Amino acid sequence: MGNHDELICAFLLSGDKPGRELSWQEVQDWTPDQGNIWVHFDCTHPGTGDWLRAESSIAPYVLEGLLADETRPRCDSYDEGALIILRGVNLNPDARPEDMVSIRVWADSSRVITTRLRRLMAVDDIRNQMPTGKGPATPGQFLAKLAGRLIDRMGPVIDTLSDQTSELEEALIGSEEESNLEDMRHKLNELRRVAIALRRYISPQKEALRRLNHLDEDWMEEEVQGPMLEVVDRITRINEELEEIRERASVIQDELANRLAQRMGGTMYLLTLVATIIMPLSFVTGLLGINVGGIPGSENPWAFAIVCAMMAAVGIGMFMLFKKMKWLTIPK
């Protein structure tokens, strides 16, 4: 492909026949009578914007969506075609799945142009299918296959989140140690962060795919409607699962807060009991410790022992009184 690094790959869409990969010059020379084409660009390369503006004949306001740094899932229909922006989970090495990767698509009756900032495994799946004869033959089939692969990659991530939520629920039921509760609180915060980040894009993606399924375009042929309807149904279930995970996490958060509040209440109650017993004894020792004349027993060698015995008796008496009144039961 020469030195045109902006071009990641390009194929003629041929369906059940192996798709032929095109060179940069073949992309330049392509005409609609040669068949449907898919061209995939690196959006970070400056050459991508230059080529799209000069050669693609796509309206400038559409190019803004194809080249934007920050995007949200959407599907916009125009007279010449449709702009579709979708997101997929980030399965690149050392990446967080919730840091979802965008794929921007321009589709019309004879071509599909895609741009990306980072590598997306769902796009690689389609690229790997092209030489085997299992790739799409039309722009509509390409969009249906792309949407399906994006959802396929999301499924295991959502299942993992659900399993982690269940593990936290089980651990909370069987845990009594405060250190375990603190550890669960940190895990819960991470789980909620991931769920919120995923839902930020999956919720609007559901609406984008729904609009895509109802596009009034000739190239969205009838045979594509079935797979697209299934994709919409699957992402709806994923969105519902994320909502369920969020609600379950809120319940766990409330229970953790109650457990920690009870522990704190028990500690404060214990300190209150100790302070209540010590308070009268501290008063006596403070009163007898003032350095003035006339302190009773100052000349008696047994005075200190007698005072200690009296204070011990008072402490024991208060302890027995609290026990009789069942004040010594610390809340758990």
Side-chain angles (χ1 to χ4, degrees):
M1 296 186 182
N3 296 324
H4 295 280
D5 297 331
E6 65 269 30
L7 180 64
I8 299 174
C9 65
F11 288 92
L12 282 177
L13 302 180
S14 54
D16 56 355
K17 298 179 181 179
R20 184 168 67 87
E21 188 167 7
L22 304 179
S23 66
W24 175 260
Q25 188 59 48
E26 288 174 317
V27 171
Q28 293 284 81
D29 297 337
W30 171 85
T31 56
D33 61 290
Q34 296 177 8
N36 298 323
I37 190 176
W38 167 39
V39 187
H40 188 39
F41 286 104
D42 180 0
C43 197
T44 62
H45 196 288
T48 296
D50 295 339
W51 186 89
L52 289 174
R53 295 184 187 96
E55 305 292 341
S56 69
S57 69
I58 300 175
Y61 52 85
V62 178
L63 291 180
E64 291 180 5
L66 285 174
L67 300 173
D69 291 334
E70 290 294 332
T71 59
R72 285 176 63 83
R74 73 186 213 222
C75 175
D76 298 326
S77 179
Y78 302 94
D79 293 338
E80 306 86 1
L83 173 66
I84 305 99
I85 299 177
L86 302 174
R87 291 261 177 170
V89 291
N90 192 348
L91 300 179
N92 292 311
D94 301 324
R96 293 183 173 184
E98 69 274 13
D99 185 18
M100 300 186 74
V101 181
S102 65
I103 179 72
R104 307 95 184 279
V105 185
W106 169 258
D108 55 32
S109 59
S110 59
R111 61 180 178 171
V112 177
I113 297 176
T114 58
T115 63
R116 55 90 160 161
L117 292 174
R118 290 173 291 175
R119 182 182 180 188
L120 189 59
M121 297 299 181
V123 176
D124 288 349
D125 292 341
I126 300 177
R127 181 179 179 179
N128 294 333
Q129 287 178 350
M130 297 301 296
T132 67
K134 297 181 180 179
T138 66
Q141 291 178 18
F142 179 92
L143 290 172
K145 189 174 287 289
L146 174 63
R149 293 306 299 158
L150 289 173
I151 303 305
D152 289 342
R153 296 283 185 173
M154 288 181 190
V157 175
I158 304 302
D159 291 341
T160 299
L161 277 181
S162 182
D163 291 342
Q164 290 175 349
T165 306
S166 298
E167 291 173 1
L168 280 176
E169 289 174 334
E170 294 175 3
L172 182 61
I173 293 174
S175 177
E176 294 294 338
E177 296 183 9
E178 188 169 353
S179 59
N180 291 340
L181 295 179
E182 284 293 330
D183 183 57
M184 279 189 284
R185 187 171 66 85
H186 292 304
K187 290 181 179 179
L188 179 63
N189 289 338
E190 177 64 16
L191 186 147
R192 295 183 69 182
R193 185 192 65 78
V194 172
I196 291 171
L198 286 172
R199 194 171 182 273
R200 176 189 176 191
Y201 292 113
I202 290 178
S203 183
Q205 183 144 313
K206 179 185 69 173
E207 299 304 320
L209 291 174
R210 186 171 293 169
R211 292 191 63 183
L212 176 61
N213 189 42
H214 291 89
L215 275 183
D216 187 17
E217 300 285 353
D218 294 338
W219 43 268
M220 287 294 290
E221 56 267 27
E222 186 175 346
E223 65 184 57
V224 176
Q225 302 300 318
M228 282 302 305
L229 188 61
E230 181 182 353
V231 167
V232 172
D233 182 62
R234 288 167 63 193
I235 197 170
T236 299
R237 291 200 303 269
I238 286 176
N239 194 60
E240 291 172 351
E241 288 180 23
L242 278 175
E243 183 64 24
E244 180 186 353
I245 290 171
R246 188 184 68 84
E247 293 176 355
R248 290 167 64 190
S250 296
V251 172
I252 297 173
Q253 179 72 29
D254 292 342
E255 180 60 24
L256 272 174
N258 290 336
R259 292 276 190 95
L260 294 173
Q262 288 176 356
R263 293 290 177 86
M264 181 63 70
T267 302
M268 295 302 296
Y269 186 79
L270 178 60
L271 292 175
T272 302
L273 287 177
V274 173
T276 303
I277 295 174
I278 296 297
M279 188 182 301
L281 306 182
S282 299
F283 172 75
V284 173
T285 56
L287 182 63
L288 296 179
I290 59 177
N291 191 20
V292 297
I295 295 298
S298 59
E299 303 296 334
N300 189 337
W302 295 96
F304 178 76
I306 294 171
V307 171
C308 289
M310 291 175 58
M311 293 175 63
V314 171
I316 293 173
M318 293 182 67
F319 178 83
M320 298 302 295
L321 176 63
F322 288 175
K323 185 175 181 180
K324 182 178 181 180
M325 298 182 70
K326 298 181 179 179
W327 289 358
L328 296 179
T329 303
I330 301 174
K332 296 183 179 179

